[in-house]
Amino acid sequence: MATTAEPTTAVAQPKMVNLTIEGRPVSVPEGMSLLEAGKRAGVLIPHYCYHPGLSIAGNCRMCLVEVEKAAKLAPSCATAVAEGQVVHVYTEKALEARKGVLEMLLINHPLDCPICDKSGECELQDFTYQEGPAKSRLRDPKRFSPIEDFGGDVLYTTSRCILCTRCVRFMDEIAQDTVLNVSARGDRAVIGKYEGKELTHAWAGNVIDVCPVGALLSKDSLNKARSWELDHAPSICPGCSQGCNISIDTRDNTVIRLRPRPNDDVNKYFMCDIGRLDYRWINRQDRIEVPLVRRGESLAASDWDVAIPAAAALLDGKRVFVAASPNLSNETLHLLAKLVASAGGSGAYTVRIGPEAPLPGVKDLSLRADRAANGAGAEILGFKRTASPLDGLAKGDVLVVADADLSTATVDQLALPGAILVIGTTLPENLRTASVVLPIANYAEEEGTFTNLRGRVQRFSQAKAAPGMARPSWWVVGDVLAALGKGEAYYLASEVFSAMAGEVSAFSGMNYDGLGMRGMVVNGGAS
Amino acid sequence: MGYPQPSHERETPVLSKYFGDRDATSLDGWRKRGGYEGLRKALSMTPAEIVDIVKASGLRGRGGAGFPTGIKWSFMKPGDGKPHYLCCNADESEPGTFKDREIMRWTPHALVEGCALGAYAIGAETAYVYIRGEFTEPLARMRQAVREAYDAGILGTNSMGTGKRIDVIIHKGAGAYICGEETAMMNSIEGRRGNPRIKPPFPAVSGVFAQPTTINNVETLAAVPHILVQGADWYKAMSLSSPKSTGSKLFSVCGNIARPGNYEVTLGFPFKDFLYDLCGGPLPGRTLKAVVPGGISVPIQTMEEAEASKMDYEGFIEQGSMLGSGGVIVFDDQQNMVKQIARAARFFAHESCGQCTQCREGTAWTTRIMERIRDGEGTHEDLDTLFSIADNMTATTICVLSDSCAVPVMSGIRKFRSEFEALIKKPKFHPVTAAVA
């Protein structure tokens, strides 16, 4: 068995091999598979069992291509490149062989695409449309196998399975928790669970993503949407300080599911189940939708034109204590830090702690104990990590609650400040004494960046619209600073980031274009 | 033959000389018959010398592929610092083949000697003998022979007093045909699921436990001591037709024939004489119709082809088939070829490991169509479909099991199309179709 594709740490420059794929000359490192070389040449060779994060199985036989001077068709996933090779992907012989594979894969497949969750993002559909047979020649009854619960979040639809063994290899090699196997043989073969084992590993949900067909499904998102109804926004998982790259999939402004987005430097192709399933809070309905300004005993609905000056008036000339959420973006935290600096005072954040859950098959990938996305960014920007959110709050300060969780704050603590300004997504019961409440978008409703525990600054984009009049958090804080005469208003997150890069040395030289979708490490490494 | 009947005068009993001789199964009895002389001689030579002798003898693999044994052994690079392994393929499960079973039943020490000799020749200290799970008697005989060989100091840390270490380990399979495929066997020995591996890497580079490994058939290894004792020239001289096919070969004959059993003949023996003279021809009042000369994985021959064949690697290829494992299955005029081929297809569908798509689905689909035709519910399109499936199953998978399933189907339809068409034209009424099975 070949080993998993690990990033080569060897310093030696690999020898390059020149070959031609579909008439396109390409130069790739020695030892690379024809399939990967094809990707470099811009030719996607159809495949099922091959996954770049897993070992080579070579069992689906879908990636057969014709190599000149070779007697047989070559499985491109298991054939290494050779100097001067001439590879043909779309010759009649290769197309016939792959058509044969597709026909075989489909004869016992239930063809229940209309009720299958995978429909629309299914590789079996894609390649069948591309080069499969239009008709089945099967005249006999199809084989049927029942659906099985694999435990965890995973449901196994046996009849749809093409036995590529990606899931088995993921559990064996990456999760290193031997749960799945191939049971029985021949056409009776199915993916089975070992006796007494379930897919309860913290990273087991990735088998759903690696499954190229509709065999492994998420119970959580079962029947919630057709894939073509979903909008996909590239984002970062806020569940812990690892900063796994994800895609937020929404339907009608509602988050349906989170899925990992490949990033070789952070999470490869994977994300943990804790992060994957923790998204319902993004959809919560009890949000503040309008700015609120105190009128005597009650908080009255207001407008931004009224609320921003009211907030500025509250802060003007006072010492400020900012209780920040470690899930705020670098941009917002930077502006809050400017507020702290201009008014004197301090800023603090608290991080919830949970048990770690590493993924053994990938270097430096784990569900981290720090269950917040941007603790590292807060630290760089001068916020103090405290055990309790209001540690450091002095009597008479103006308390600025920047979406921090104050559910543990005591009545006595909340009586200390001279006034409370809430910049948040929700208004908890114990903050109803606030003087001004400014509604902000949550992280999925705005753009920004997080800094992960290794100091990697990564962008996340907006996945859904903010409710009511809520505005992006950096916008709101920028407006408050402008009203105080201590900064300018911003209209783009990228402008805030560029301003921050000009002022904070850790971020200097960075901008949104440079970060791209893979991120960059802060100057001086992790803080 | 040797057992249950004495050898025919036209046979060349080398391996089968002591078949049926109960005394030959024990170490003492085997020594009396000249046993372990080949090993003694070999241990006084260098491995390279042994490989050269085997190369010169022209011995080719008796398991089916016919690869020259000496050349295979020369792939093992001595002194590469890695442990080498020899695996003896005693997972004889090819339908129609039962020659290795008899070697292990009657002359277990011949195989132990061959394994020890082969291991020494390729620089291995360990030889695994992978015995088919259903072979209970051969397993017991082999276990006893190995025990005796250890007790007598033939095996172990000081093999025959030469200070060389040779271990022979008996590994019992669990009854899977596919474990006779060499890479699946290596997985099985390692304790994994018996799935064939992708080649390359070839076993000589990365075999069992990812170390250089050579896999040889029982009959091949059992022949090597004879070559060492009597010389390469003696072995090379045993050839009646092509000089590329030398030595004697066991043929297991079964089916509709007067005297079924194991026959050992010099390669190149005329197949017609073999069938009618040695094996006694058809049963009374019947005529022969078809022959599978080398286990069910090789193409079926018509009688015209069979009678024109020379029994060696080249001779059978000239007549549209292959020597294979030497499992001769004879069909007479009472047999329906559709039924026979359907049975063969069902065997392959049952034994497919299920890795590769074409094999997993193709063997089962072929079986369903074949059984439907057998039951009188086939159509003419089914024949085209069968051909097309068989075509998809050929030369596209990791191992050759799917090719083996396609072979009898394709050759059967080509050569006995009229039998298929007769069943299609005159459909019988079957309330329960085989398709449900």
Side-chain angles (χ1 to χ4, degrees), chain A residues 243-273:
Chain A
C244 289
N245 291 210
I246 61 166
S247 164
I248 301 181
D249 293 356
T250 57
R251 176 192 175 187
D252 297 341
N253 213 35
T254 305
V255 179
I256 297 293
R257 64 178 185 191
L258 306 182
R259 299 222 294 172
R261 184 164 57 84
N263 187 336
D264 265 359
D265 297 319
V266 183
N267 58 313
K268 294 273 184 194
Y269 309 89
F270 312 118
M271 76 183 291
C272 75
D273 287 11

PDB file of all heavy atoms in Angstrom, chain A residues 243-273:
ATOM      1  N   GLY A 243      -8.841  26.708  13.241  1.00  0.00           N
ATOM      2  CA  GLY A 243      -9.127  27.479  12.023  1.00  0.00           C
ATOM      3  C   GLY A 243      -9.300  26.633  10.790  1.00  0.00           C
ATOM      4  O   GLY A 243      -8.784  26.965   9.717  1.00  0.00           O
ATOM      5  N   CYS A 244     -10.023  25.519  10.897  1.00  0.00           N
ATOM      6  CA  CYS A 244     -10.279  24.678   9.729  1.00  0.00           C
ATOM      7  C   CYS A 244     -11.030  25.480   8.676  1.00  0.00           C
ATOM      8  O   CYS A 244     -11.963  26.204   8.980  1.00  0.00           O
ATOM      9  CB  CYS A 244     -11.126  23.469  10.113  1.00  0.00           C
ATOM     10  SG  CYS A 244     -10.232  22.277  11.091  1.00  0.00           S
ATOM     11  N   ASN A 245     -10.615  25.315   7.431  1.00  0.00           N
ATOM     12  CA  ASN A 245     -11.285  25.975   6.320  1.00  0.00           C
ATOM     13  C   ASN A 245     -12.581  25.229   6.034  1.00  0.00           C
ATOM     14  O   ASN A 245     -12.584  24.008   5.942  1.00  0.00           O
ATOM     15  CB  ASN A 245     -10.399  25.981   5.089  1.00  0.00           C
ATOM     16  CG  ASN A 245      -9.194  26.898   5.255  1.00  0.00           C
ATOM     17  OD1 ASN A 245      -8.687  27.452   4.298  1.00  0.00           O
ATOM     18  ND2 ASN A 245      -8.734  27.062   6.486  1.00  0.00           N
ATOM     19  N   ILE A 246     -13.665  25.977   5.921  1.00  0.00           N
ATOM     20  CA  ILE A 246     -14.946  25.317   5.699  1.00  0.00           C
ATOM     21  C   ILE A 246     -15.731  26.035   4.606  1.00  0.00           C
ATOM     22  O   ILE A 246     -15.362  27.117   4.155  1.00  0.00           O
ATOM     23  CB  ILE A 246     -15.816  25.282   6.988  1.00  0.00           C
ATOM     24  CG1 ILE A 246     -16.142  26.702   7.467  1.00  0.00           C
ATOM     25  CG2 ILE A 246     -15.138  24.478   8.066  1.00  0.00           C
ATOM     26  CD1 ILE A 246     -17.244  26.750   8.497  1.00  0.00           C
ATOM     27  N   SER A 247     -16.799  25.385   4.226  1.00  0.00           N
ATOM     28  CA  SER A 247     -17.758  26.015   3.350  1.00  0.00           C
ATOM     29  C   SER A 247     -19.071  26.059   4.128  1.00  0.00           C
ATOM     30  O   SER A 247     -19.494  25.051   4.693  1.00  0.00           O
ATOM     31  CB  SER A 247     -17.905  25.176   2.089  1.00  0.00           C
ATOM     32  OG  SER A 247     -19.068  25.555   1.404  1.00  0.00           O
ATOM     33  N   ILE A 248     -19.665  27.246   4.201  1.00  0.00           N
ATOM     34  CA  ILE A 248     -20.971  27.357   4.850  1.00  0.00           C
ATOM     35  C   ILE A 248     -22.020  27.226   3.756  1.00  0.00           C
ATOM     36  O   ILE A 248     -22.060  28.028   2.825  1.00  0.00           O
ATOM     37  CB  ILE A 248     -21.132  28.700   5.582  1.00  0.00           C
ATOM     38  CG1 ILE A 248     -20.039  28.849   6.642  1.00  0.00           C
ATOM     39  CG2 ILE A 248     -22.510  28.815   6.201  1.00  0.00           C
ATOM     40  CD1 ILE A 248     -20.141  30.138   7.438  1.00  0.00           C
ATOM     41  N   ASP A 249     -22.833  26.194   3.853  1.00  0.00           N
ATOM     42  CA  ASP A 249     -23.841  25.961   2.825  1.00  0.00           C
ATOM     43  C   ASP A 249     -25.202  26.438   3.333  1.00  0.00           C
ATOM     44  O   ASP A 249     -25.685  25.963   4.356  1.00  0.00           O
ATOM     45  CB  ASP A 249     -23.899  24.467   2.480  1.00  0.00           C
ATOM     46  CG  ASP A 249     -22.614  24.006   1.794  1.00  0.00           C
ATOM     47  OD1 ASP A 249     -21.740  24.862   1.540  1.00  0.00           O
ATOM     48  OD2 ASP A 249     -22.492  22.797   1.524  1.00  0.00           O
ATOM     49  N   THR A 250     -25.782  27.386   2.608  1.00  0.00           N
ATOM     50  CA  THR A 250     -27.045  27.959   3.060  1.00  0.00           C
ATOM     51  C   THR A 250     -28.130  27.750   2.028  1.00  0.00           C
ATOM     52  O   THR A 250     -27.865  27.614   0.831  1.00  0.00           O
ATOM     53  CB  THR A 250     -26.909  29.485   3.295  1.00  0.00           C
ATOM     54  OG1 THR A 250     -26.467  30.084   2.081  1.00  0.00           O
ATOM     55  CG2 THR A 250     -25.938  29.784   4.398  1.00  0.00           C
ATOM     56  N   ARG A 251     -29.327  27.702   2.539  1.00  0.00           N
ATOM     57  CA  ARG A 251     -30.485  27.653   1.652  1.00  0.00           C
ATOM     58  C   ARG A 251     -31.476  28.676   2.187  1.00  0.00           C
ATOM     59  O   ARG A 251     -31.819  28.639   3.368  1.00  0.00           O
ATOM     60  CB  ARG A 251     -31.098  26.254   1.697  1.00  0.00           C
ATOM     61  CG  ARG A 251     -32.358  26.131   0.894  1.00  0.00           C
ATOM     62  CD  ARG A 251     -33.065  24.831   1.209  1.00  0.00           C
ATOM     63  NE  ARG A 251     -34.334  24.803   0.519  1.00  0.00           N
ATOM     64  CZ  ARG A 251     -35.241  23.870   0.685  1.00  0.00           C
ATOM     65  NH1 ARG A 251     -35.022  22.885   1.530  1.00  0.00           N
ATOM     66  NH2 ARG A 251     -36.367  23.908   0.024  1.00  0.00           N
ATOM     67  N   ASP A 252     -31.914  29.590   1.356  1.00  0.00           N
ATOM     68  CA  ASP A 252     -32.838  30.644   1.765  1.00  0.00           C
ATOM     69  C   ASP A 252     -32.360  31.334   3.040  1.00  0.00           C
ATOM     70  O   ASP A 252     -33.090  31.443   4.022  1.00  0.00           O
ATOM     71  CB  ASP A 252     -34.246  30.079   1.993  1.00  0.00           C
ATOM     72  CG  ASP A 252     -34.818  29.504   0.720  1.00  0.00           C
ATOM     73  OD1 ASP A 252     -34.304  29.854  -0.351  1.00  0.00           O
ATOM     74  OD2 ASP A 252     -35.756  28.710   0.816  1.00  0.00           O
ATOM     75  N   ASN A 253     -31.111  31.757   3.046  1.00  0.00           N
ATOM     76  CA  ASN A 253     -30.564  32.516   4.162  1.00  0.00           C
ATOM     77  C   ASN A 253     -30.485  31.713   5.462  1.00  0.00           C
ATOM     78  O   ASN A 253     -30.420  32.277   6.546  1.00  0.00           O
ATOM     79  CB  ASN A 253     -31.391  33.788   4.391  1.00  0.00           C
ATOM     80  CG  ASN A 253     -30.533  34.920   4.895  1.00  0.00           C
ATOM     81  OD1 ASN A 253     -29.369  35.045   4.511  1.00  0.00           O
ATOM     82  ND2 ASN A 253     -31.077  35.726   5.789  1.00  0.00           N
ATOM     83  N   THR A 254     -30.549  30.384   5.346  1.00  0.00           N
ATOM     84  CA  THR A 254     -30.444  29.539   6.530  1.00  0.00           C
ATOM     85  C   THR A 254     -29.282  28.572   6.328  1.00  0.00           C
ATOM     86  O   THR A 254     -29.174  27.948   5.277  1.00  0.00           O
ATOM     87  CB  THR A 254     -31.736  28.725   6.720  1.00  0.00           C
ATOM     88  OG1 THR A 254     -32.820  29.648   6.766  1.00  0.00           O
ATOM     89  CG2 THR A 254     -31.694  27.910   7.989  1.00  0.00           C
ATOM     90  N   VAL A 255     -28.434  28.474   7.354  1.00  0.00           N
ATOM     91  CA  VAL A 255     -27.306  27.557   7.235  1.00  0.00           C
ATOM     92  C   VAL A 255     -27.825  26.127   7.363  1.00  0.00           C
ATOM     93  O   VAL A 255     -28.525  25.778   8.319  1.00  0.00           O
ATOM     94  CB  VAL A 255     -26.245  27.834   8.317  1.00  0.00           C
ATOM     95  CG1 VAL A 255     -25.088  26.842   8.181  1.00  0.00           C
ATOM     96  CG2 VAL A 255     -25.747  29.258   8.199  1.00  0.00           C
ATOM     97  N   ILE A 256     -27.514  25.299   6.349  1.00  0.00           N
ATOM     98  CA  ILE A 256     -27.968  23.909   6.327  1.00  0.00           C
ATOM     99  C   ILE A 256     -26.882  22.976   6.846  1.00  0.00           C
ATOM    100  O   ILE A 256     -27.136  22.019   7.549  1.00  0.00           O
ATOM    101  CB  ILE A 256     -28.337  23.514   4.877  1.00  0.00           C
ATOM    102  CG1 ILE A 256     -29.507  24.357   4.372  1.00  0.00           C
ATOM    103  CG2 ILE A 256     -28.630  22.028   4.761  1.00  0.00           C
ATOM    104  CD1 ILE A 256     -30.811  24.098   5.082  1.00  0.00           C
ATOM    105  N   ARG A 257     -25.673  23.269   6.486  1.00  0.00           N
ATOM    106  CA  ARG A 257     -24.582  22.379   6.892  1.00  0.00           C
ATOM    107  C   ARG A 257     -23.247  23.099   6.736  1.00  0.00           C
ATOM    108  O   ARG A 257     -23.149  24.092   5.995  1.00  0.00           O
ATOM    109  CB  ARG A 257     -24.577  21.103   6.041  1.00  0.00           C
ATOM    110  CG  ARG A 257     -24.300  21.400   4.586  1.00  0.00           C
ATOM    111  CD  ARG A 257     -24.227  20.176   3.709  1.00  0.00           C
ATOM    112  NE  ARG A 257     -23.834  20.592   2.372  1.00  0.00           N
ATOM    113  CZ  ARG A 257     -23.874  19.830   1.297  1.00  0.00           C
ATOM    114  NH1 ARG A 257     -24.302  18.590   1.401  1.00  0.00           N
ATOM    115  NH2 ARG A 257     -23.492  20.274   0.124  1.00  0.00           N
ATOM    116  N   LEU A 258     -22.246  22.601   7.420  1.00  0.00           N
ATOM    117  CA  LEU A 258     -20.880  23.068   7.240  1.00  0.00           C
ATOM    118  C   LEU A 258     -20.079  21.901   6.672  1.00  0.00           C
ATOM    119  O   LEU A 258     -20.281  20.752   7.051  1.00  0.00           O
ATOM    120  CB  LEU A 258     -20.260  23.497   8.573  1.00  0.00           C
ATOM    121  CG  LEU A 258     -21.029  24.520   9.401  1.00  0.00           C
ATOM    122  CD1 LEU A 258     -20.228  24.861  10.660  1.00  0.00           C
ATOM    123  CD2 LEU A 258     -21.307  25.791   8.609  1.00  0.00           C
ATOM    124  N   ARG A 259     -19.211  22.220   5.745  1.00  0.00           N
ATOM    125  CA  ARG A 259     -18.372  21.161   5.180  1.00  0.00           C
ATOM    126  C   ARG A 259     -16.928  21.646   5.095  1.00  0.00           C
ATOM    127  O   ARG A 259     -16.680  22.836   4.919  1.00  0.00           O
ATOM    128  CB  ARG A 259     -18.863  20.804   3.774  1.00  0.00           C
ATOM    129  CG  ARG A 259     -20.287  20.289   3.786  1.00  0.00           C
ATOM    130  CD  ARG A 259     -20.464  19.131   2.880  1.00  0.00           C
ATOM    131  NE  ARG A 259     -20.276  19.496   1.494  1.00  0.00           N
ATOM    132  CZ  ARG A 259     -20.234  18.592   0.519  1.00  0.00           C
ATOM    133  NH1 ARG A 259     -20.334  17.322   0.802  1.00  0.00           N
ATOM    134  NH2 ARG A 259     -20.083  18.979  -0.731  1.00  0.00           N
ATOM    135  N   PRO A 260     -15.967  20.729   5.205  1.00  0.00           N
ATOM    136  CA  PRO A 260     -14.570  21.155   5.122  1.00  0.00           C
ATOM    137  C   PRO A 260     -14.205  21.623   3.720  1.00  0.00           C
ATOM    138  O   PRO A 260     -14.760  21.150   2.739  1.00  0.00           O
ATOM    139  CB  PRO A 260     -13.791  19.897   5.496  1.00  0.00           C
ATOM    140  CG  PRO A 260     -14.715  18.773   5.215  1.00  0.00           C
ATOM    141  CD  PRO A 260     -16.099  19.293   5.431  1.00  0.00           C
ATOM    142  N   ARG A 261     -13.304  22.585   3.688  1.00  0.00           N
ATOM    143  CA  ARG A 261     -12.788  23.120   2.431  1.00  0.00           C
ATOM    144  C   ARG A 261     -11.287  22.838   2.462  1.00  0.00           C
ATOM    145  O   ARG A 261     -10.629  23.103   3.461  1.00  0.00           O
ATOM    146  CB  ARG A 261     -13.066  24.623   2.410  1.00  0.00           C
ATOM    147  CG  ARG A 261     -12.701  25.379   1.180  1.00  0.00           C
ATOM    148  CD  ARG A 261     -13.424  26.747   1.222  1.00  0.00           C
ATOM    149  NE  ARG A 261     -13.107  27.535   2.409  1.00  0.00           N
ATOM    150  CZ  ARG A 261     -12.030  28.315   2.522  1.00  0.00           C
ATOM    151  NH1 ARG A 261     -11.168  28.411   1.553  1.00  0.00           N
ATOM    152  NH2 ARG A 261     -11.809  29.003   3.632  1.00  0.00           N
ATOM    153  N   PRO A 262     -10.728  22.245   1.388  1.00  0.00           N
ATOM    154  CA  PRO A 262      -9.334  21.812   1.471  1.00  0.00           C
ATOM    155  C   PRO A 262      -8.359  22.963   1.692  1.00  0.00           C
ATOM    156  O   PRO A 262      -8.487  24.022   1.075  1.00  0.00           O
ATOM    157  CB  PRO A 262      -9.072  21.167   0.100  1.00  0.00           C
ATOM    158  CG  PRO A 262     -10.405  20.947  -0.498  1.00  0.00           C
ATOM    159  CD  PRO A 262     -11.329  21.944   0.087  1.00  0.00           C
ATOM    160  N   ASN A 263      -7.450  22.751   2.615  1.00  0.00           N
ATOM    161  CA  ASN A 263      -6.327  23.657   2.780  1.00  0.00           C
ATOM    162  C   ASN A 263      -5.171  22.828   3.340  1.00  0.00           C
ATOM    163  O   ASN A 263      -5.199  22.413   4.493  1.00  0.00           O
ATOM    164  CB  ASN A 263      -6.669  24.805   3.735  1.00  0.00           C
ATOM    165  CG  ASN A 263      -5.556  25.848   3.779  1.00  0.00           C
ATOM    166  OD1 ASN A 263      -4.399  25.552   3.487  1.00  0.00           O
ATOM    167  ND2 ASN A 263      -5.910  27.066   4.136  1.00  0.00           N
ATOM    168  N   ASP A 264      -4.199  22.555   2.495  1.00  0.00           N
ATOM    169  CA  ASP A 264      -3.088  21.685   2.873  1.00  0.00           C
ATOM    170  C   ASP A 264      -2.349  22.161   4.107  1.00  0.00           C
ATOM    171  O   ASP A 264      -1.765  21.367   4.830  1.00  0.00           O
ATOM    172  CB  ASP A 264      -2.087  21.597   1.705  1.00  0.00           C
ATOM    173  CG  ASP A 264      -2.362  20.386   0.837  1.00  0.00           C
ATOM    174  OD1 ASP A 264      -3.297  19.640   1.172  1.00  0.00           O
ATOM    175  OD2 ASP A 264      -1.650  20.209  -0.158  1.00  0.00           O
ATOM    176  N   ASP A 265      -2.370  23.483   4.344  1.00  0.00           N
ATOM    177  CA  ASP A 265      -1.569  24.007   5.444  1.00  0.00           C
ATOM    178  C   ASP A 265      -2.305  23.969   6.774  1.00  0.00           C
ATOM    179  O   ASP A 265      -1.708  24.217   7.818  1.00  0.00           O
ATOM    180  CB  ASP A 265      -1.162  25.457   5.138  1.00  0.00           C
ATOM    181  CG  ASP A 265      -0.285  25.531   3.897  1.00  0.00           C
ATOM    182  OD1 ASP A 265       0.584  24.658   3.763  1.00  0.00           O
ATOM    183  OD2 ASP A 265      -0.492  26.434   3.066  1.00  0.00           O
ATOM    184  N   VAL A 266      -3.594  23.718   6.744  1.00  0.00           N
ATOM    185  CA  VAL A 266      -4.341  23.761   7.997  1.00  0.00           C
ATOM    186  C   VAL A 266      -5.050  22.448   8.277  1.00  0.00           C
ATOM    187  O   VAL A 266      -4.734  21.738   9.226  1.00  0.00           O
ATOM    188  CB  VAL A 266      -5.360  24.921   7.993  1.00  0.00           C
ATOM    189  CG1 VAL A 266      -6.071  25.002   9.339  1.00  0.00           C
ATOM    190  CG2 VAL A 266      -4.679  26.235   7.672  1.00  0.00           C
ATOM    191  N   ASN A 267      -6.014  22.125   7.448  1.00  0.00           N
ATOM    192  CA  ASN A 267      -6.873  20.988   7.777  1.00  0.00           C
ATOM    193  C   ASN A 267      -6.940  19.942   6.673  1.00  0.00           C
ATOM    194  O   ASN A 267      -7.792  19.070   6.726  1.00  0.00           O
ATOM    195  CB  ASN A 267      -8.289  21.480   8.104  1.00  0.00           C
ATOM    196  CG  ASN A 267      -8.898  22.268   6.960  1.00  0.00           C
ATOM    197  OD1 ASN A 267      -8.254  23.145   6.392  1.00  0.00           O
ATOM    198  ND2 ASN A 267     -10.128  21.964   6.605  1.00  0.00           N
ATOM    199  N   LYS A 268      -6.042  20.015   5.699  1.00  0.00           N
ATOM    200  CA  LYS A 268      -6.109  19.081   4.563  1.00  0.00           C
ATOM    201  C   LYS A 268      -7.510  19.105   3.959  1.00  0.00           C
ATOM    202  O   LYS A 268      -7.890  20.110   3.399  1.00  0.00           O
ATOM    203  CB  LYS A 268      -5.726  17.671   5.006  1.00  0.00           C
ATOM    204  CG  LYS A 268      -4.283  17.568   5.416  1.00  0.00           C
ATOM    205  CD  LYS A 268      -3.412  17.275   4.228  1.00  0.00           C
ATOM    206  CE  LYS A 268      -1.965  17.086   4.679  1.00  0.00           C
ATOM    207  NZ  LYS A 268      -1.056  17.123   3.566  1.00  0.00           N
ATOM    208  N   TYR A 269      -8.260  18.001   4.128  1.00  0.00           N
ATOM    209  CA  TYR A 269      -9.606  17.935   3.534  1.00  0.00           C
ATOM    210  C   TYR A 269     -10.669  17.761   4.611  1.00  0.00           C
ATOM    211  O   TYR A 269     -11.795  17.399   4.311  1.00  0.00           O
ATOM    212  CB  TYR A 269      -9.672  16.746   2.566  1.00  0.00           C
ATOM    213  CG  TYR A 269      -8.538  16.758   1.581  1.00  0.00           C
ATOM    214  CD1 TYR A 269      -7.331  16.135   1.870  1.00  0.00           C
ATOM    215  CD2 TYR A 269      -8.657  17.440   0.371  1.00  0.00           C
ATOM    216  CE1 TYR A 269      -6.273  16.179   0.985  1.00  0.00           C
ATOM    217  CE2 TYR A 269      -7.603  17.483  -0.514  1.00  0.00           C
ATOM    218  CZ  TYR A 269      -6.412  16.851  -0.207  1.00  0.00           C
ATOM    219  OH  TYR A 269      -5.371  16.909  -1.093  1.00  0.00           O
ATOM    220  N   PHE A 270     -10.303  17.991   5.866  1.00  0.00           N
ATOM    221  CA  PHE A 270     -11.136  17.476   6.946  1.00  0.00           C
ATOM    222  C   PHE A 270     -11.593  18.558   7.936  1.00  0.00           C
ATOM    223  O   PHE A 270     -11.020  19.627   8.005  1.00  0.00           O
ATOM    224  CB  PHE A 270     -10.374  16.379   7.698  1.00  0.00           C
ATOM    225  CG  PHE A 270      -9.741  15.376   6.772  1.00  0.00           C
ATOM    226  CD1 PHE A 270      -8.359  15.211   6.742  1.00  0.00           C
ATOM    227  CD2 PHE A 270     -10.516  14.618   5.913  1.00  0.00           C
ATOM    228  CE1 PHE A 270      -7.768  14.293   5.872  1.00  0.00           C
ATOM    229  CE2 PHE A 270      -9.945  13.697   5.043  1.00  0.00           C
ATOM    230  CZ  PHE A 270      -8.563  13.543   5.028  1.00  0.00           C
ATOM    231  N   MET A 271     -12.638  18.243   8.672  1.00  0.00           N
ATOM    232  CA  MET A 271     -13.028  19.040   9.836  1.00  0.00           C
ATOM    233  C   MET A 271     -13.672  18.095  10.842  1.00  0.00           C
ATOM    234  O   MET A 271     -14.128  17.011  10.479  1.00  0.00           O
ATOM    235  CB  MET A 271     -13.995  20.163   9.445  1.00  0.00           C
ATOM    236  CG  MET A 271     -15.422  19.719   9.165  1.00  0.00           C
ATOM    237  SD  MET A 271     -16.514  21.069   8.625  1.00  0.00           S
ATOM    238  CE  MET A 271     -16.655  22.038  10.101  1.00  0.00           C
ATOM    239  N   CYS A 272     -13.690  18.500  12.103  1.00  0.00           N
ATOM    240  CA  CYS A 272     -14.205  17.576  13.118  1.00  0.00           C
ATOM    241  C   CYS A 272     -15.732  17.687  13.212  1.00  0.00           C
ATOM    242  O   CYS A 272     -16.339  18.655  12.773  1.00  0.00           O
ATOM    243  CB  CYS A 272     -13.564  17.836  14.469  1.00  0.00           C
ATOM    244  SG  CYS A 272     -14.177  19.311  15.282  1.00  0.00           S
ATOM    245  N   ASP A 273     -16.310  16.664  13.804  1.00  0.00           N
ATOM    246  CA  ASP A 273     -17.771  16.623  13.903  1.00  0.00           C
ATOM    247  C   ASP A 273     -18.313  17.691  14.840  1.00  0.00           C
ATOM    248  O   ASP A 273     -19.431  18.171  14.671  1.00  0.00           O
ATOM    249  CB  ASP A 273     -18.221  15.250  14.419  1.00  0.00           C
ATOM    250  CG  ASP A 273     -18.057  14.183  13.360  1.00  0.00           C
ATOM    251  OD1 ASP A 273     -17.409  14.471  12.339  1.00  0.00           O
ATOM    252  OD2 ASP A 273     -18.585  13.076  13.553  1.00  0.00           O
TER     253      ASP A 273
END
